[in-house]
Amino acid sequence: MNTVVVSVGGSIVVSDEPNIDYLKHLTALLNRLSQHFKLFVVVGGGKIARQYIALGRDLGLDEDRLDQLGIDVTRVNARAIAYLLGTSNIEIPHTTDDVIRLKNPVVVMGGTDPKHSTDTVGAEIAEKTHAARFVNATNVDGIYDKDPNKFPDAKQLKEVSIDQLIAQYGTKWGSAGKNIFMDEPALAIIKRAKIPTFVVNGKRLDQLECAIRGQPFDGTRILV
Ligand code: UTP
Protein backbone atom coordinates (compact mmCIF):
# COMPACT_ATOMS: atom_id res chain seq x y z
CA MET A 1 0.00 0.00 0.00
CA ASN A 2 1.43 3.39 -0.99
CA THR A 3 2.02 6.01 1.67
CA VAL A 4 0.72 9.55 1.19
CA VAL A 5 1.50 12.42 3.56
CA VAL A 6 -1.08 15.22 3.77
CA SER A 7 -0.23 18.55 5.38
CA VAL A 8 -3.53 20.15 6.37
CA GLY A 9 -3.06 23.89 6.85
CA GLY A 10 -4.44 25.24 10.11
CA SER A 11 -6.17 27.91 8.02
CA ILE A 12 -8.51 25.26 6.61
CA VAL A 13 -9.07 23.49 9.93
CA VAL A 14 -9.91 26.59 11.95
CA SER A 15 -10.10 29.86 10.04
CA ASP A 16 -12.49 32.02 12.05
CA GLU A 17 -14.20 29.23 13.89
CA PRO A 18 -14.16 25.47 13.31
CA ASN A 19 -16.46 24.54 10.43
CA ILE A 20 -17.87 21.29 11.75
CA ASP A 21 -19.56 20.22 8.50
CA TYR A 22 -16.34 20.67 6.57
CA LEU A 23 -14.30 18.84 9.23
CA LYS A 24 -16.76 15.91 9.20
CA HIS A 25 -16.49 15.65 5.41
CA LEU A 26 -12.69 16.01 5.50
CA THR A 27 -12.24 13.26 8.08
CA ALA A 28 -14.75 10.99 6.30
CA LEU A 29 -12.71 11.43 3.11
CA LEU A 30 -9.46 10.62 4.90
CA ASN A 31 -11.02 7.52 6.48
CA ARG A 32 -12.31 6.37 3.08
CA LEU A 33 -8.94 6.93 1.36
CA SER A 34 -7.14 5.09 4.15
CA GLN A 35 -8.58 1.87 2.67
CA HIS A 36 -6.27 2.46 -0.30
CA PHE A 37 -3.33 4.40 1.14
CA LYS A 38 -1.42 4.58 4.40
CA LEU A 39 -2.06 8.21 5.35
CA PHE A 40 -0.04 10.52 7.56
CA VAL A 41 -1.95 13.72 8.28
CA VAL A 42 -0.06 16.69 9.70
CA VAL A 43 -2.30 19.44 11.08
CA GLY A 44 -1.34 23.13 11.21
CA GLY A 45 -2.12 25.81 13.77
CA GLY A 46 -3.94 28.43 11.69
CA LYS A 47 -5.34 31.65 13.05
CA ILE A 48 -5.30 30.57 16.71
CA ALA A 49 -1.55 29.83 16.50
CA ARG A 50 -0.94 33.23 14.91
CA GLN A 51 -2.98 34.94 17.65
CA TYR A 52 -0.90 33.30 20.39
CA ILE A 53 2.31 34.14 18.52
CA ALA A 54 1.20 37.80 18.24
CA LEU A 55 0.46 37.81 21.99
CA GLY A 56 3.88 36.31 22.75
CA ARG A 57 5.56 38.83 20.48
CA ASP A 58 3.87 41.68 22.38
CA LEU A 59 5.19 40.12 25.58
CA GLY A 60 8.73 40.14 24.13
CA LEU A 61 9.17 36.32 24.00
CA ASP A 62 12.03 35.03 21.86
CA GLU A 63 11.44 33.29 18.50
CA ASP A 64 11.80 29.75 19.87
CA ARG A 65 9.17 30.40 22.52
CA LEU A 66 6.86 31.90 19.89
CA ASP A 67 7.35 28.76 17.79
CA GLN A 68 6.58 26.65 20.87
CA LEU A 69 3.23 28.42 21.29
CA GLY A 70 2.47 27.63 17.64
CA ILE A 71 3.50 23.99 18.09
CA ASP A 72 1.14 23.56 21.05
CA VAL A 73 -1.79 24.86 18.98
CA THR A 74 -0.99 22.50 16.08
CA ARG A 75 -1.09 19.62 18.57
CA VAL A 76 -4.53 20.65 19.88
CA ASN A 77 -5.81 20.86 16.30
CA ALA A 78 -4.27 17.45 15.56
CA ARG A 79 -6.01 15.90 18.56
CA ALA A 80 -9.35 17.40 17.48
CA ILE A 81 -8.90 15.85 14.00
CA ALA A 82 -7.93 12.54 15.64
CA TYR A 83 -11.14 12.55 17.70
CA LEU A 84 -13.18 13.26 14.57
CA LEU A 85 -11.45 10.50 12.58
CA GLY A 86 -12.02 7.92 15.28
CA THR A 87 -9.58 5.52 13.59
CA SER A 88 -6.23 7.19 14.15
CA ASN A 89 -3.85 7.57 17.06
CA ILE A 90 -5.28 9.85 19.76
CA GLU A 91 -2.02 10.73 21.49
CA ILE A 92 -0.08 13.08 19.23
CA PRO A 93 3.59 12.05 18.90
CA HIS A 94 6.34 14.59 19.49
CA THR A 95 8.78 13.43 16.80
CA THR A 96 8.63 12.15 13.24
CA ASP A 97 10.54 9.02 14.34
CA ASP A 98 7.71 8.23 16.78
CA VAL A 99 4.97 8.91 14.27
CA ILE A 100 6.27 6.60 11.55
CA ARG A 101 6.09 3.62 13.94
CA LEU A 102 2.31 3.93 14.37
CA LYS A 103 0.26 1.29 12.60
CA ASN A 104 -3.16 2.98 12.33
CA PRO A 105 -4.45 3.40 8.75
CA VAL A 106 -4.52 7.16 9.33
CA VAL A 107 -1.85 8.63 11.59
CA VAL A 108 -2.23 12.19 12.87
CA MET A 109 0.56 14.57 13.81
CA GLY A 110 1.16 18.22 14.69
CA GLY A 111 4.33 20.28 15.03
CA THR A 112 7.63 19.07 16.50
CA ASP A 113 10.47 21.56 17.02
CA PRO A 114 10.97 25.31 16.54
CA LYS A 115 12.30 26.93 13.34
CA HIS A 116 9.90 25.44 10.84
CA SER A 117 6.17 24.83 10.34
CA THR A 118 4.12 21.65 10.01
CA ASP A 119 4.98 21.60 6.27
CA THR A 120 8.51 20.55 7.22
CA VAL A 121 7.10 17.89 9.56
CA GLY A 122 5.13 16.53 6.59
CA ALA A 123 8.15 16.62 4.27
CA GLU A 124 10.25 14.83 6.92
CA ILE A 125 7.64 12.07 7.30
CA ALA A 126 7.42 11.75 3.50
CA GLU A 127 11.19 11.38 3.30
CA LYS A 128 11.37 8.81 6.12
CA THR A 129 8.48 6.70 4.78
CA HIS A 130 9.47 7.01 1.09
CA ALA A 131 5.96 8.31 0.51
CA ALA A 132 4.50 8.16 -2.99
CA ARG A 133 3.61 11.84 -2.63
CA PHE A 134 3.28 14.78 -0.28
CA VAL A 135 0.04 16.75 -0.55
CA ASN A 136 -0.05 20.24 0.90
CA ALA A 137 -3.69 21.19 1.50
CA THR A 138 -3.87 24.95 1.79
CA ASN A 139 -6.58 27.63 1.49
CA VAL A 140 -5.91 28.70 -2.12
CA ASP A 141 -5.84 26.77 -5.41
CA GLY A 142 -2.12 25.97 -5.41
CA ILE A 143 0.93 28.18 -5.94
CA TYR A 144 0.55 31.52 -7.72
CA ASP A 145 3.02 33.88 -9.38
CA LYS A 146 2.16 36.36 -6.57
CA ASP A 147 0.04 36.31 -3.40
CA PRO A 148 -3.56 35.64 -4.59
CA ASN A 149 -4.97 37.06 -1.35
CA LYS A 150 -3.39 40.44 -2.16
CA PHE A 151 -3.32 40.54 -5.97
CA PRO A 152 -6.55 39.74 -7.87
CA ASP A 153 -4.55 39.25 -11.11
CA ALA A 154 -2.28 36.57 -9.57
CA LYS A 155 -1.94 33.57 -11.90
CA GLN A 156 -2.09 29.96 -10.71
CA LEU A 157 0.94 27.86 -11.68
CA LYS A 158 0.04 24.35 -12.88
CA GLU A 159 3.63 23.20 -12.44
CA VAL A 160 6.74 24.74 -10.94
CA SER A 161 10.18 23.26 -10.40
CA ILE A 162 11.58 22.86 -6.90
CA ASP A 163 14.72 24.70 -8.06
CA GLN A 164 12.64 27.71 -9.11
CA LEU A 165 10.86 27.79 -5.73
CA ILE A 166 14.16 27.55 -3.85
CA ALA A 167 15.63 30.34 -6.01
CA GLN A 168 12.60 32.50 -5.19
CA TYR A 169 12.03 31.72 -1.50
CA GLY A 170 15.28 30.13 -0.26
CA THR A 171 15.33 27.33 2.33
CA LYS A 172 15.78 29.35 5.56
CA TRP A 173 12.98 29.62 8.12
CA GLY A 174 11.74 33.21 8.42
CA SER A 175 9.87 33.81 11.68
CA ALA A 176 7.11 32.33 13.86
CA GLY A 177 3.64 32.45 12.35
CA LYS A 178 4.87 33.38 8.89
CA ASN A 179 2.43 32.20 6.28
CA ILE A 180 3.50 31.28 2.74
CA PHE A 181 2.23 28.36 0.64
CA MET A 182 4.95 26.09 2.07
CA ASP A 183 7.65 26.77 4.62
CA GLU A 184 11.16 27.21 3.23
CA PRO A 185 12.96 24.36 5.10
CA ALA A 186 10.37 21.94 3.63
CA LEU A 187 11.55 22.94 0.14
CA ALA A 188 15.07 21.69 0.92
CA ILE A 189 13.72 18.29 2.02
CA ILE A 190 11.48 17.99 -1.05
CA LYS A 191 14.50 18.63 -3.27
CA ARG A 192 16.87 16.34 -1.35
CA ALA A 193 14.43 13.43 -1.15
CA LYS A 194 12.83 14.10 -4.57
CA ILE A 195 9.33 13.91 -3.09
CA PRO A 196 6.53 14.42 -5.64
CA THR A 197 4.64 17.31 -4.03
CA PHE A 198 1.19 18.67 -4.84
CA VAL A 199 -0.31 21.92 -3.53
CA VAL A 200 -4.12 21.93 -3.55
CA ASN A 201 -7.04 23.81 -2.00
CA GLY A 202 -7.99 21.63 0.97
CA LYS A 203 -11.46 23.19 1.12
CA ARG A 204 -12.21 21.62 -2.27
CA LEU A 205 -12.51 18.04 -1.11
CA ASP A 206 -12.98 16.64 -4.64
CA GLN A 207 -9.65 18.17 -5.68
CA LEU A 208 -7.96 17.08 -2.45
CA GLU A 209 -9.11 13.51 -3.12
CA CYS A 210 -7.67 13.60 -6.67
CA ALA A 211 -4.35 14.94 -5.34
CA ILE A 212 -4.14 12.23 -2.66
CA ARG A 213 -4.97 9.57 -5.26
CA GLY A 214 -2.32 10.96 -7.63
CA GLN A 215 -4.94 11.81 -10.25
CA PRO A 216 -5.18 15.10 -12.20
CA PHE A 217 -6.31 17.93 -9.89
CA ASP A 218 -6.76 21.70 -9.97
CA GLY A 219 -3.66 22.95 -8.19
CA THR A 220 0.13 22.98 -8.53
CA ARG A 221 2.59 20.14 -9.02
CA ILE A 222 6.10 20.78 -7.76
CA LEU A 223 8.51 19.12 -10.19
CA VAL A 224 11.44 17.44 -8.41
P1 UTP B 1 1.77 25.95 11.09
O1 UTP B 1 2.34 24.69 10.64
O2 UTP B 1 0.31 26.06 11.25
O3 UTP B 1 2.29 27.06 10.11
O4 UTP B 1 2.45 26.34 12.46
P2 UTP B 1 1.75 28.28 9.28
O5 UTP B 1 2.48 28.18 7.99
O6 UTP B 1 1.91 29.46 10.13
O7 UTP B 1 0.20 28.18 9.01
P3 UTP B 1 -0.88 27.26 8.32
O8 UTP B 1 -1.36 26.34 9.39
O9 UTP B 1 -0.21 26.50 7.20
O10 UTP B 1 -1.96 28.18 7.86
C1 UTP B 1 2.17 27.55 13.15
C2 UTP B 1 3.43 28.06 13.79
O11 UTP B 1 3.87 27.13 14.81
C3 UTP B 1 5.29 27.03 14.84
C4 UTP B 1 5.79 28.06 13.81
O12 UTP B 1 6.00 29.29 14.47
C5 UTP B 1 4.61 28.16 12.83
O13 UTP B 1 4.60 29.39 12.13
N1 UTP B 1 5.72 25.64 14.52
C6 UTP B 1 4.85 24.74 13.97
C7 UTP B 1 7.02 25.22 14.81
O14 UTP B 1 7.85 26.01 15.30
N2 UTP B 1 7.39 23.93 14.56
C8 UTP B 1 6.54 23.01 14.02
O15 UTP B 1 6.93 21.84 13.81
C9 UTP B 1 5.24 23.44 13.71
Side-chain angles (χ1 to χ4, degrees):
M1 196 183 258
N2 277 336
T3 295
V4 179
V5 180
V6 187
S7 172
V8 181
S11 52
I12 61 172
V13 177
V14 270
S15 35
D16 284 324
E17 53 190 59
N19 178 340
I20 193 64
D21 277 342
Y22 167 74
L23 292 177
K24 280 185 182 162
H25 285 116
L26 170 70
T27 48
L29 172 69
L30 295 171
N31 272 332
R32 184 158 53 78
L33 290 175
S34 72
Q35 292 164 12
H36 309 283
F37 304 98
K38 164 89 183 187
L39 292 181
F40 288 91
V41 177
V42 188
V43 186
K47 191 174 175 183
I48 300 174
R50 278 192 287 282
Q51 286 171 337
Y52 271 107
I53 289 167
L55 172 82
R57 211 164 249 137
D58 285 347
L59 293 173
L61 300 184
D62 64 33
E63 282 292 320
D64 278 6
R65 286 183 173 187
L66 299 179
D67 284 341
Q68 202 57 59
L69 285 171
I71 291 167
D72 286 348
V73 176
T74 65
R75 295 175 55 79
V76 172
N77 286 346
R79 189 186 280 270
I81 293 291
Y83 285 148
L84 273 156
L85 281 164
T87 54
S88 70
N89 55 306
I90 292 294
E91 296 308 322
I92 306 303
H94 285 269
T95 69
T96 52
D97 282 334
D98 288 340
V99 84
I100 63 175
R101 288 195 203 102
L102 297 177
K103 299 287 175 233
N104 311 58
V106 189
V107 173
V108 180
M109 181 66 176
T112 53
D113 308 301
K115 298 191 171 53
H116 55 74
S117 83
T118 44
D119 296 333
T120 291
V121 178
E124 248 180 61
I125 296 171
E127 179 175 40
K128 288 182 181 177
T129 58
H130 307 287
R133 53 199 156 269
F134 175 34
V135 176
N136 191 343
T138 183
N139 61 358
V140 289
D141 293 341
I143 304 177
Y144 287 73
D145 60 348
K146 48 192 165 186
D147 186 346
N149 292 316
K150 289 190 195 140
F151 301 95
D153 64 334
K155 282 197 189 62
Q156 182 206 44
L157 308 172
K158 289 280 171 208
E159 292 181 341
V160 59
S161 76
I162 188 69
D163 289 332
Q164 190 183 325
L165 290 175
I166 289 176
Q168 200 171 341
Y169 297 99
T171 57
K172 273 210 183 71
W173 174 240
S175 59
K178 207 180 117 187
N179 199 11
I180 62 165
F181 67 93
M182 168 92 76
D183 87 19
E184 303 88 342
L187 297 175
I189 301 173
I190 290 166
K191 179 176 166 71
R192 171 176 85 210
K194 296 190 170 52
I195 307 163
T197 300
F198 303 160
V199 184
V200 63
N201 190 336
K203 294 254 180 197
R204 294 173 65 192
L205 291 174
D206 56 336
Q207 299 307 311
L208 176 62
E209 173 166 1
C210 290
I212 292 174
R213 288 183 179 276
Q215 295 168 350
F217 66 99
D218 182 18
T220 304
R221 284 169 186 266
I222 300 180
L223 306 176
V224 291

